[in-house]
């Protein structure tokens, strides 16, 4: 399998650790923010953040 690196700004779904890096926050705040923004996606037991929804929420907050 190719080990291709995709920039976080180009990925739609981010893992918790990727989201932490993307938003520059800790793990507990990452989970809180994902729920607050409605960007939580669950696939099985895994939790992902929808970056597009999060970015839209951030834009609304700064408007």
């Amino acid at each position: 399998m190719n080990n291709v690196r995709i920039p976080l700004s180009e990925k739609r779904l981010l893992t918790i650790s990727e989201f932490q890096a993307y938003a520059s926050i800790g793990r507990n705040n990452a989970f809180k923010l994902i729920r607050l923004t409605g960007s939580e996606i669950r696939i099985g037991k895994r939790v992902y953040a929808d970056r597009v929804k999060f970015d839209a929420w951030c834009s609304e907050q700064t408007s």
Side-chain angles (χ1 to χ4, degrees):
M1 187 165 150
N2 292 338
N3 205 2
V4 179
R5 293 240 184 225
I6 300 172
L8 295 180
S9 61
E10 292 182 17
K11 292 179 79 174
R12 176 72 187 247
L13 297 179
L14 304 175
T15 64
I16 295 301
S17 60
E18 290 172 334
F19 184 72
Q20 285 178 251
Y22 185 76
S24 301
I25 57 176
R27 185 170 176 83
N28 290 338
N29 282 330
F31 279 108
K32 289 177 188 175
L33 192 56
I34 288 169
R35 287 186 196 106
L36 174 73
T37 61
S39 60
E40 181 179 37
I41 302 288
R42 289 189 173 265
I43 301 175
K45 293 183 180 181
R46 295 179 185 234
V47 176
Y48 295 93
D50 185 327
R51 184 192 52 78
V52 175
K53 285 185 180 180
F54 175 72
D55 287 345
W57 180 84
C58 286
S59 295
E60 289 173 11
Q61 301 309 302
T62 59
S63 297

